[in-house]
Structures are given as structure tokens and as C-alpha cells.
Amino acid sequence: MSSPRTAQHKPHLPKHPVAEYRSAHSALERILAWWAISILASVLLVSGALYATNKMVYGPTGQVSEYFRALREGNGSHALALLNLPSPEGDGSLLDGEPMRRAYAPLSNLRYEVVSSEGDEAVVRAFYTVNGTENHSDFPVHRVGTHWGFFDKWAIDAHELPQLQVSIAGVQAATVNNRKVAVDQGAASFPVFYPGVYTTTYDSSVYTTAPKTVLVDSAAELPQAKLALTPAEGAQQKVNTQVHEYLETCVSKNTLYPAGCPFSFDFAGRVQGAVTWKITREPTLSLTVKDESTWSLSAAEGTAQISFTQLDLYSGKTQVITRDVPFKFTGAVSVETSDVHVTIF
């Protein structure tokens, strides 16, 4: 019986040193290539991020955006610093806090655009909407250096703040954006930030005004808030009350000819018993402010009704007479610090 065939095994030969070197070198090249690509990608990403940050945050619009943030927060000192302005002379009542926030509040749809650029100078235009109408304000800026050697540093070129002119003849104070301010001799000016919406009002127990609202959109603007005084509702009511009381006194008189009253009734017959009067239509009074102490009271028409019994001396018969008597009321109104008085003509 023959023995099984012995398996033929190929001898294990070691790799050639040159082949091993080439394989190791190829792997190292791949590692170095991937490493170089990763470094390059990182550099590109960082460069892109730096460029985007420089453009969006540290570009010309960044300083203007920061200024608008100061307006929104009512931070007057920061806003002045961003404009590179010292505290202005005059009454700075509107340069901080609530007046600033109220001035900014009506602005919406904010966006910024560089509308011109030459070298280290540019103009940033801020667009915004007020009451459905788009407006804009321009801010010249210039480059003043860099932050940490990477990011541009810009500054707003502002020379002054606009002055809000408030004029209300005959009063010593007014309210602008919910802050009371002094108005000596009926006129005053106030430095304000721009852009902003400023509403001026005046109210007292005697006078009131229709609100005056102005949009201030540039430093060159000279906004005017001129208000005309009108009688306050309470003062009008006081006048109506005094006239009503006067007429009630008149109708209480038992006579055809009430003394000092605007109505009477001519009658040639004999009256038996009492004469009674009543007001069926009160006069509608119209007041106009002439100056700080005198108002005009326009003539107003009303109607009184008289009733009495007529006695016929020949027949002895009686008859009730009722008649409407139109009349015209005239008078004047004088004003004191917090009160009004009606004088009847």
C-alpha cells in the first residue's frame, strides 16, 4: 500500500527591503497629505470666519448697529460715545432713559447698507419703517485702526445732535416722550438723538394741547414742535357748570322779565298766579384761548320755555299760556392758575 502524497509547501520568503520601504513611504505620504488638507481647510474656515466677522461685526455697519442698540436700550452715554460727541450744552432731559426708548420704539424693519465706500471712509444708511412709511438716516464712518490686528475698527463721524424746538405760548413746562421738561417763557430747545420719534404734549386742569409728533432723522434737521393751547375738558366743564347754575337762577325767578337774565317775555295782559320758566335747550358754549389769561366765549343760542295763567279782566276767564323763548347767551371767561370764571354780559 503506497504512502499518501506528501503536500507540497511553498517556502515563506521574506519581503524585499525595497518593497517594504515603498509601502511605508506611501502610507506616510497619505497621512501627510490628509494632514496638509486638514490644515488648509482649517485655515480656510478660520479665514472665512474672520472675514465674515470682520464684515458683519467689525465692518462699517457694525458701529451703526451698536448705536441703534444704545438707542433701543435708552443708554445715552453709550450712544454719545459711539457718535464721538461730548455731552451737549443745554437741557439733556431727552438724552437718556425712557425718552430715548420711546423715540426708538416706533422704528421697525431695521436694516443697514453701505451706500458708498472709498478707502478708509464710508457711508452707512440705516433703513427703518415708521407708521408704515420707510425712512432712512445716513451715518458717515471712517476706519481708525484694527482690533487685535485682525478686525477693522470704525468710528461714526458725527458733529452735533439735532435740537428739538418746543414752543407753547403761556406755559412753563411741557411733556416730551412722557418726560416733563421746562419751557421757560413758552419756548425751549432740547438736544435729541436721531433717528427718533418725539411727541410733545401739555395738559393741566385748565389747558390742554393736541399732541405734536415729529420724526427726527438727521443731525442737520431742526425739528419744530409748536403747540396751541385749548381749554382742558375739566375747564370746559367748569364753564358749562357755571352757565348752567346761572340759568337755573334765572328760571327760578317768578317774573316775565328776570333781571340780569338773557330771556324775557313781553305780555300786555294780566297774569294770574306764578310765572314759571325752564330751559329746554341749553346753549352750546365754544371756548377759544386768546392768551394765557383770557379766553373768548362765543355767543351761544338756547331756548327757555315760559308758562303762566292769563286772566281776562272783562270775562274773568283764564287761559294757560306756554311759549318757547329763544335767547342768546354772551359772556367772557377769565383764567387763574387752576380755575376759570365766567362773566355774563
Side-chain angles (χ1 to χ4, degrees):
M1 186 172 181
S2 61
S3 62
R5 183 179 296 178
T6 304
Q8 298 292 323
H9 295 284
K10 292 182 178 181
H12 179 73
L13 299 176
K15 290 185 178 180
H16 196 280
V18 174
E20 290 184 348
Y21 171 78
R22 287 177 177 175
S23 176
H25 184 71
S26 177
L28 180 60
E29 284 181 337
R30 287 196 297 271
I31 293 172
L32 290 175
W34 278 111
W35 181 78
I37 291 172
S38 299
I39 293 295
L40 180 60
S42 298
V43 169
L44 291 175
L45 286 173
V46 170
S47 299
L50 289 174
Y51 175 80
T53 302
N54 189 45
K55 182 177 180 181
M56 298 177 63
V57 179
Y58 295 97
T61 62
Q63 199 78 340
V64 176
S65 174
E66 178 67 10
Y67 169 72
F68 272 76
R69 186 176 72 85
L71 298 183
R72 183 180 70 248
E73 295 176 352
N75 191 338
S77 59
H78 188 40
L80 282 173
L82 290 167
L83 293 177
N84 296 299
L85 291 176
S87 296
E89 296 181 358
D91 190 337
S93 298
L94 307 181
L95 295 179
D96 200 39
E98 186 174 7
M100 281 184 65
R101 291 190 291 270
R102 284 178 174 262
Y104 174 89
L107 279 60
S108 61
N109 302 322
L110 277 166
R111 61 185 178 88
Y112 311 99
E113 181 180 326
V114 178
V115 293
S116 68
S117 179
E118 184 175 351
D120 289 338
E121 296 183 350
V123 175
V124 176
R125 179 164 293 174
F127 295 91
Y128 48 89
T129 301
V130 177
N131 295 327
T133 301
E134 186 173 76
N135 301 270
H136 70 268
S137 297
D138 288 344
F139 295 86
V141 297
H142 70 282
R143 198 188 333 258
V144 294
T146 61
H147 294 280
W148 312 299
F150 293 102
F151 303 119
D152 291 333
K153 185 177 182 180
W154 295 82
I156 299 174
D157 297 325
H159 301 292
E160 59 182 352
L161 292 177
Q163 297 279 329
L164 175 65
Q165 309 291 314
V166 176
S167 176
I168 316 176
V171 304
Q172 301 299 315
T175 300
V176 182
N177 282 13
N178 210 39
R179 176 166 291 177
K180 192 171 183 178
V181 295
V183 185
D184 296 332
Q185 305 302 319
S189 62
F190 305 90
V192 294
F193 288 109
Y194 66 96
V197 177
Y198 296 87
T199 299
T200 306
T201 60
Y202 178 83
D203 285 291
S204 72
S205 60
V206 175
Y207 294 105
T208 189
T209 65
K212 177 68 174 180
T213 299
V214 296
L215 168 64
V216 183
D217 58 14
S218 74
E221 191 173 355
L222 190 63
Q224 302 281 336
K226 187 174 183 179
L227 288 79
L229 293 175
T230 58
E233 182 178 351
Q236 177 77 58
Q237 186 57 48
K238 285 184 178 181
V239 170
N240 291 340
T241 298
Q242 291 179 48
V243 172
H244 176 77
E245 291 174 350
Y246 159 73
L247 293 176
E248 286 298 305
T249 300
C250 288
V251 299
S252 68
K253 297 180 179 180
N254 179 21
T255 176
L256 298 173
Y257 307 96
C261 295
F263 47 79
S264 61
F265 186 73
D266 291 328
F267 182 68
R270 179 70 177 268
V271 176
Q272 177 176 290
V275 174
T276 60
W277 291 90
K278 68 177 180 179
I279 302 298
T280 57
R281 181 168 66 92
E282 294 244 4
T284 301
L285 306 175
S286 178
L287 296 172
T288 304
V289 176
K290 297 177 67 176
D291 56 47
E292 62 269 22
S293 60
T294 306
W295 297 355
S296 66
L297 180 60
S298 62
E301 296 182 349
T303 303
Q305 187 180 84
I306 186 173
S307 295
F308 59 89
T309 299
Q310 174 188 7
L311 174 63
D312 189 328
L313 295 176
Y314 295 100
S315 64
K317 293 182 179 181
T318 60
Q319 180 185 2
V320 176
I321 303 295
T322 300
R323 296 287 187 272
D324 286 336
V325 181
F327 66 90
K328 183 175 289 186
F329 175 86
T330 57
V333 178
S334 59
V335 183
E336 296 180 356
T337 303
S338 60
D339 206 358
V340 294
H341 300 281
V342 179
T343 302
I344 310 300
F345 296 156

Short mmCIF file of all heavy atoms in Angstrom, two decimals, residues 253-290:
data_model
loop_
_atom_site.label_atom_id
_atom_site.label_comp_id
_atom_site.label_asym_id
_atom_site.label_seq_id
_atom_site.Cartn_x
_atom_site.Cartn_y
_atom_site.Cartn_z
N LYS A 253 -86.86 132.64 38.89
CA LYS A 253 -87.49 133.93 39.16
C LYS A 253 -88.93 133.96 38.65
O LYS A 253 -89.21 133.62 37.49
CB LYS A 253 -86.68 135.06 38.53
CG LYS A 253 -85.27 135.17 39.12
CD LYS A 253 -84.47 136.29 38.50
CE LYS A 253 -83.07 136.39 39.13
NZ LYS A 253 -82.27 137.49 38.55
N ASN A 254 -89.85 134.42 39.50
CA ASN A 254 -91.28 134.44 39.19
C ASN A 254 -91.66 135.77 38.56
O ASN A 254 -92.32 136.62 39.16
CB ASN A 254 -92.07 134.20 40.48
CG ASN A 254 -93.57 134.23 40.26
OD1 ASN A 254 -94.05 134.05 39.14
ND2 ASN A 254 -94.34 134.49 41.32
N THR A 255 -91.21 135.95 37.32
CA THR A 255 -91.49 137.21 36.63
C THR A 255 -91.33 137.02 35.14
O THR A 255 -90.62 136.12 34.68
CB THR A 255 -90.54 138.32 37.11
OG1 THR A 255 -90.76 139.51 36.35
CG2 THR A 255 -89.09 137.90 36.98
N LEU A 256 -92.03 137.90 34.40
CA LEU A 256 -91.89 137.87 32.95
C LEU A 256 -90.54 138.40 32.49
O LEU A 256 -90.09 138.09 31.38
CB LEU A 256 -93.00 138.69 32.29
CG LEU A 256 -94.45 138.23 32.52
CD1 LEU A 256 -95.42 139.24 31.96
CD2 LEU A 256 -94.67 136.86 31.88
N TYR A 257 -89.91 139.20 33.36
CA TYR A 257 -88.66 139.85 32.99
C TYR A 257 -87.59 139.58 34.05
O TYR A 257 -87.30 140.43 34.89
CB TYR A 257 -88.88 141.37 32.85
CG TYR A 257 -90.00 141.73 31.93
CD1 TYR A 257 -91.28 142.00 32.44
CD2 TYR A 257 -89.82 141.78 30.55
CE1 TYR A 257 -92.33 142.33 31.60
CE2 TYR A 257 -90.86 142.11 29.71
CZ TYR A 257 -92.11 142.37 30.23
OH TYR A 257 -93.17 142.69 29.39
N PRO A 258 -87.00 138.38 34.06
CA PRO A 258 -85.98 138.06 35.06
C PRO A 258 -84.79 139.03 34.93
O PRO A 258 -84.19 139.15 33.85
CB PRO A 258 -85.56 136.63 34.72
CG PRO A 258 -86.70 136.08 33.91
CD PRO A 258 -87.24 137.23 33.15
N ALA A 259 -84.48 139.71 35.99
CA ALA A 259 -83.41 140.71 35.96
C ALA A 259 -82.04 140.05 35.76
O ALA A 259 -81.74 139.02 36.38
CB ALA A 259 -83.42 141.50 37.26
N GLY A 260 -81.23 140.65 34.85
CA GLY A 260 -79.88 140.14 34.60
C GLY A 260 -79.84 138.84 33.86
O GLY A 260 -78.81 138.16 33.88
N CYS A 261 -80.93 138.49 33.21
CA CYS A 261 -81.01 137.21 32.50
C CYS A 261 -81.15 137.44 31.00
O CYS A 261 -81.62 138.50 30.57
CB CYS A 261 -82.19 136.39 33.02
SG CYS A 261 -81.99 135.91 34.76
N PRO A 262 -80.78 136.48 30.19
CA PRO A 262 -80.78 136.69 28.74
C PRO A 262 -82.15 136.49 28.08
O PRO A 262 -82.25 136.61 26.86
CB PRO A 262 -79.79 135.62 28.25
CG PRO A 262 -79.91 134.51 29.23
CD PRO A 262 -80.17 135.17 30.55
N PHE A 263 -83.18 136.19 28.85
CA PHE A 263 -84.50 135.98 28.24
C PHE A 263 -85.57 136.73 29.05
O PHE A 263 -85.41 136.98 30.25
CB PHE A 263 -84.86 134.49 28.14
CG PHE A 263 -84.61 133.72 29.41
CD1 PHE A 263 -85.51 133.78 30.46
CD2 PHE A 263 -83.48 132.92 29.55
CE1 PHE A 263 -85.29 133.06 31.63
CE2 PHE A 263 -83.26 132.20 30.71
CZ PHE A 263 -84.17 132.27 31.76
N SER A 264 -86.66 137.07 28.35
CA SER A 264 -87.83 137.70 28.96
C SER A 264 -89.00 137.49 28.02
O SER A 264 -88.83 137.03 26.89
CB SER A 264 -87.59 139.20 29.20
OG SER A 264 -87.34 139.86 27.97
N PHE A 265 -90.21 137.90 28.49
CA PHE A 265 -91.39 137.68 27.66
C PHE A 265 -92.31 138.90 27.78
O PHE A 265 -92.78 139.26 28.87
CB PHE A 265 -92.13 136.42 28.11
CG PHE A 265 -93.27 136.03 27.21
CD1 PHE A 265 -93.05 135.50 25.96
CD2 PHE A 265 -94.60 136.22 27.64
CE1 PHE A 265 -94.11 135.15 25.14
CE2 PHE A 265 -95.66 135.86 26.83
CZ PHE A 265 -95.42 135.32 25.57
N ASP A 266 -92.52 139.56 26.64
CA ASP A 266 -93.40 140.73 26.61
C ASP A 266 -94.86 140.26 26.56
O ASP A 266 -95.26 139.52 25.67
CB ASP A 266 -93.10 141.60 25.39
CG ASP A 266 -91.74 142.28 25.49
OD1 ASP A 266 -91.33 142.60 26.63
OD2 ASP A 266 -91.09 142.47 24.45
N PHE A 267 -95.64 140.76 27.52
CA PHE A 267 -97.05 140.37 27.60
C PHE A 267 -97.84 141.54 28.17
O PHE A 267 -97.51 142.08 29.24
CB PHE A 267 -97.21 139.14 28.50
CG PHE A 267 -98.61 138.63 28.59
CD1 PHE A 267 -99.24 138.05 27.49
CD2 PHE A 267 -99.32 138.74 29.78
CE1 PHE A 267 -100.54 137.58 27.59
CE2 PHE A 267 -100.62 138.27 29.88
CZ PHE A 267 -101.23 137.69 28.78
N ALA A 268 -98.86 141.93 27.42
CA ALA A 268 -99.61 143.13 27.82
C ALA A 268 -100.83 142.80 28.68
O ALA A 268 -101.47 143.70 29.22
CB ALA A 268 -100.07 143.88 26.57
N GLY A 269 -101.17 141.52 28.82
CA GLY A 269 -102.36 141.14 29.58
C GLY A 269 -102.08 141.02 31.08
O GLY A 269 -101.03 141.39 31.60
N ARG A 270 -103.05 140.39 31.75
CA ARG A 270 -102.98 140.21 33.20
C ARG A 270 -102.54 138.78 33.49
O ARG A 270 -103.08 137.82 32.93
CB ARG A 270 -104.36 140.47 33.82
CG ARG A 270 -104.42 140.30 35.33
CD ARG A 270 -103.64 141.38 36.04
NE ARG A 270 -103.75 141.26 37.49
CZ ARG A 270 -104.71 141.89 38.22
NH1 ARG A 270 -105.60 142.66 37.64
NH2 ARG A 270 -104.72 141.75 39.53
N VAL A 271 -101.56 138.63 34.36
CA VAL A 271 -101.06 137.32 34.76
C VAL A 271 -101.66 136.96 36.10
O VAL A 271 -101.62 137.75 37.05
CB VAL A 271 -99.51 137.30 34.84
CG1 VAL A 271 -99.03 135.94 35.35
CG2 VAL A 271 -98.90 137.62 33.48
N GLN A 272 -102.19 135.76 36.16
CA GLN A 272 -102.75 135.29 37.43
C GLN A 272 -101.85 134.17 37.96
O GLN A 272 -101.61 133.18 37.30
CB GLN A 272 -104.17 134.78 37.23
CG GLN A 272 -104.79 134.22 38.51
CD GLN A 272 -106.24 133.81 38.32
OE1 GLN A 272 -107.11 134.68 38.14
NE2 GLN A 272 -106.50 132.50 38.32
N GLY A 273 -101.40 134.34 39.16
CA GLY A 273 -100.55 133.30 39.77
C GLY A 273 -99.09 133.45 39.37
O GLY A 273 -98.63 134.53 38.98
N ALA A 274 -98.40 132.35 39.46
CA ALA A 274 -96.94 132.36 39.27
C ALA A 274 -96.56 132.23 37.80
O ALA A 274 -97.30 131.67 36.98
CB ALA A 274 -96.31 131.22 40.06
N VAL A 275 -95.41 132.75 37.53
CA VAL A 275 -94.78 132.58 36.22
C VAL A 275 -93.65 131.54 36.39
O VAL A 275 -92.83 131.66 37.30
CB VAL A 275 -94.18 133.90 35.71
CG1 VAL A 275 -93.41 133.66 34.41
CG2 VAL A 275 -95.30 134.92 35.49
N THR A 276 -93.64 130.55 35.53
CA THR A 276 -92.59 129.53 35.62
C THR A 276 -91.77 129.49 34.32
O THR A 276 -92.32 129.64 33.22
CB THR A 276 -93.18 128.14 35.87
OG1 THR A 276 -94.06 127.78 34.80
CG2 THR A 276 -93.94 128.10 37.18
N TRP A 277 -90.48 129.31 34.52
CA TRP A 277 -89.56 129.19 33.41
C TRP A 277 -88.82 127.84 33.50
O TRP A 277 -88.61 127.31 34.59
CB TRP A 277 -88.48 130.29 33.45
CG TRP A 277 -88.95 131.68 33.19
CD1 TRP A 277 -89.39 132.59 34.10
CD2 TRP A 277 -89.01 132.32 31.91
NE1 TRP A 277 -89.71 133.78 33.50
CE2 TRP A 277 -89.48 133.64 32.13
CE3 TRP A 277 -88.72 131.94 30.61
CZ2 TRP A 277 -89.66 134.57 31.12
CZ3 TRP A 277 -88.89 132.86 29.58
CH2 TRP A 277 -89.35 134.15 29.83
N LYS A 278 -88.40 127.34 32.35
CA LYS A 278 -87.48 126.20 32.33
C LYS A 278 -86.66 126.28 31.04
O LYS A 278 -87.11 126.84 30.04
CB LYS A 278 -88.21 124.88 32.44
CG LYS A 278 -89.07 124.51 31.24
CD LYS A 278 -89.70 123.13 31.45
CE LYS A 278 -90.56 122.74 30.25
NZ LYS A 278 -91.17 121.38 30.43
N ILE A 279 -85.45 125.75 31.13
CA ILE A 279 -84.57 125.72 29.96
C ILE A 279 -84.82 124.43 29.20
O ILE A 279 -84.67 123.33 29.75
CB ILE A 279 -83.09 125.81 30.37
CG1 ILE A 279 -82.80 127.07 31.17
CG2 ILE A 279 -82.17 125.75 29.14
CD1 ILE A 279 -83.06 128.36 30.42
N THR A 280 -85.24 124.56 27.95
CA THR A 280 -85.48 123.37 27.12
C THR A 280 -84.31 123.06 26.19
O THR A 280 -84.19 121.95 25.69
CB THR A 280 -86.76 123.57 26.28
OG1 THR A 280 -86.62 124.76 25.48
CG2 THR A 280 -87.98 123.71 27.18
N ARG A 281 -83.46 124.05 25.97
CA ARG A 281 -82.24 123.81 25.17
C ARG A 281 -81.12 124.67 25.71
O ARG A 281 -81.15 125.90 25.59
CB ARG A 281 -82.48 124.11 23.69
CG ARG A 281 -81.25 123.84 22.81
CD ARG A 281 -81.63 123.87 21.33
NE ARG A 281 -82.04 125.19 20.91
CZ ARG A 281 -81.23 126.11 20.39
NH1 ARG A 281 -79.93 125.84 20.23
NH2 ARG A 281 -81.70 127.28 20.00
N GLU A 282 -80.17 124.01 26.35
CA GLU A 282 -79.03 124.74 26.90
C GLU A 282 -78.14 125.25 25.77
O GLU A 282 -77.97 124.57 24.76
CB GLU A 282 -78.22 123.84 27.83
CG GLU A 282 -78.95 123.42 29.09
CD GLU A 282 -78.28 123.97 30.34
OE1 GLU A 282 -77.29 124.72 30.23
OE2 GLU A 282 -78.77 123.62 31.44
N PRO A 283 -77.54 126.43 25.93
CA PRO A 283 -76.61 126.92 24.90
C PRO A 283 -75.35 126.06 24.86
O PRO A 283 -74.85 125.62 25.90
CB PRO A 283 -76.31 128.35 25.36
CG PRO A 283 -76.58 128.35 26.82
CD PRO A 283 -77.70 127.38 27.04
N THR A 284 -74.87 125.79 23.66
CA THR A 284 -73.61 125.06 23.48
C THR A 284 -72.48 126.06 23.40
O THR A 284 -72.40 126.86 22.46
CB THR A 284 -73.66 124.21 22.19
OG1 THR A 284 -74.74 123.28 22.27
CG2 THR A 284 -72.36 123.44 22.02
N LEU A 285 -71.62 126.04 24.39
CA LEU A 285 -70.60 127.06 24.53
C LEU A 285 -69.33 126.67 23.80
O LEU A 285 -68.89 125.51 23.85
CB LEU A 285 -70.29 127.29 26.01
CG LEU A 285 -71.52 127.62 26.88
CD1 LEU A 285 -71.11 127.69 28.34
CD2 LEU A 285 -72.15 128.93 26.45
N SER A 286 -68.73 127.63 23.12
CA SER A 286 -67.48 127.41 22.41
C SER A 286 -66.41 128.33 22.99
O SER A 286 -66.56 129.56 22.96
CB SER A 286 -67.67 127.69 20.91
OG SER A 286 -66.47 127.52 20.22
N LEU A 287 -65.35 127.71 23.51
CA LEU A 287 -64.27 128.47 24.14
C LEU A 287 -63.04 128.52 23.23
O LEU A 287 -62.71 127.53 22.58
CB LEU A 287 -63.87 127.82 25.46
CG LEU A 287 -64.94 127.79 26.56
CD1 LEU A 287 -64.45 126.94 27.72
CD2 LEU A 287 -65.25 129.19 27.04
N THR A 288 -62.39 129.68 23.20
CA THR A 288 -61.16 129.85 22.45
C THR A 288 -60.15 130.58 23.33
O THR A 288 -60.49 131.57 23.97
CB THR A 288 -61.40 130.66 21.16
OG1 THR A 288 -62.41 130.03 20.38
CG2 THR A 288 -60.11 130.76 20.35
N VAL A 289 -58.92 130.05 23.34
CA VAL A 289 -57.87 130.69 24.13
C VAL A 289 -57.32 131.88 23.35
O VAL A 289 -56.80 131.73 22.24
CB VAL A 289 -56.74 129.69 24.44
CG1 VAL A 289 -55.60 130.38 25.17
CG2 VAL A 289 -57.27 128.52 25.26
N LYS A 290 -57.43 133.08 23.94
CA LYS A 290 -56.87 134.28 23.33
C LYS A 290 -55.42 134.48 23.77
O LYS A 290 -54.55 134.78 22.98
CB LYS A 290 -57.71 135.51 23.69
CG LYS A 290 -59.14 135.43 23.15
CD LYS A 290 -59.96 136.63 23.58
CE LYS A 290 -59.46 137.92 22.93
NZ LYS A 290 -60.32 139.07 23.28
#
